[in-house]
Amino acid sequence: MLALDVGGTGMKGAVLDRAMRPVVSLHRPTPRGDGPTAVVDAIAETLLALERLAAERGLRVAHTGVVVPGIVDEGLRRAVWSANIGWRDLPLAAVLESRTGLPVALGHDVRAGGAAECALGAARGARNVLFVAVGTGIAAALVADGRPVRSDGFAGELGHVRVRGGTACACGGHGCLETLASARAVASAYTARTGRPAAGAADVAARVREGDPVARAVWDDAADGLAEALAMATSLVAPELVVLGGGLAEADRLLLDPVRDRLAARLTFQRTPVLVRAGLGDQAGCLGAGLTAWQAVAHHAPTPFTGATTP
């Protein structure tokens, strides 16, 4: 099985065995700056590279799962829209099948990551879960009463909840959570305030730990925005568990502690969700892509495995 998680910054691919263990992994950049056609080209090339890696190990590819950001209609196999990549109403699964000769199941990156966390990671056993991926963009996957909520592919756009006015977003709106709390926004805000380039959100997190006051202010803004958006989501859908994943969550307690405290301070009568870090780390989307592929073949998920997820 081939699995590919396409993010706004990078692509994570793997050849998975039947127990959902990565046999070999592959990371490549997403050429988002070159336009959506270049991204489709890169996805097709990466799938072919994964197929070659499988063949070198004597493995037959049964199916392929590709998960992408934005609005995705899994039933129609279309990438409907993405603010970060720029495609619109693209029959992506059919295009990739034509380009690679591989059978392709298409999914949404964050819904797939949420499914993986529910099956294999930090949300096992929970029936009401909000999985939030904070990376180049921000999106969420919702499981309510044990069932995923898709709403024709439009559910889960937490990154475009308005938390603060004035900052333009790639979606065409202003004040979206993504403009404040995404990994890209955190790095950009620090650079803008200091004139010193930040390599990424991890760089800003390191400077917070070193006592940099500007880094702390930027980080606090991001934590405050996340808490505000999660308070809205808690009032609406009452998750028992919120799982934070994506690049920003790699900061662990540096992010989770202030978000947890600020979320609790905003709630009154609502059920206060438990807030935890994703158990699968940056592999959640790729493993979710694998689940998407297996479900396309067998119409049910494989038996979850236990143990490390890193090959």
Side-chain angles (χ1 to χ4, degrees), residues 257-271:
D257 286 353
V259 172
R260 184 182 294 115
D261 292 345
R262 294 171 194 211
L263 172 59
R266 283 172 163 82
L267 301 179
T268 54
F269 68 91
Q270 301 92 336
R271 172 170 63 183

Side-chain angles (χ1 to χ4, degrees), residues 36-163:
T37 299
V39 175
V40 174
D41 291 342
I43 294 171
E45 290 164 4
T46 303
L47 291 178
L48 291 172
L50 286 169
E51 184 185 33
R52 288 193 295 271
L53 290 171
E56 289 169 4
R57 288 157 177 78
L59 301 174
R60 183 182 66 84
V61 175
H63 211 79
T64 301
V66 177
V67 298
V68 299
I71 306 300
V72 179
D73 190 320
E74 288 97 336
L76 295 179
R77 307 171 74 225
R78 301 182 81 88
V80 177
W81 175 79
S82 171
N84 289 320
I85 293 179
W87 49 43
R88 287 182 179 271
D89 201 27
L90 176 66
L92 185 56
V95 169
L96 293 174
E97 287 176 342
S98 175
R99 296 279 295 275
T100 66
L102 295 166
V104 174
L106 183 67
H108 182 262
D109 58 348
V110 177
R111 284 196 291 274
E117 286 290 342
C118 287
L120 310 169
R124 280 177 291 185
R127 288 179 50 79
N128 297 282
V129 180
L130 187 69
F131 170 70
V132 182
V134 187
T136 305
I138 299 175
L142 173 65
V143 175
D145 296 325
R147 295 178 178 274
V149 177
R150 296 188 178 91
S151 294
D152 297 324
F154 285 87
E157 290 297 323
L158 190 69
H160 299 286
V161 168
R162 184 169 181 170
V163 295

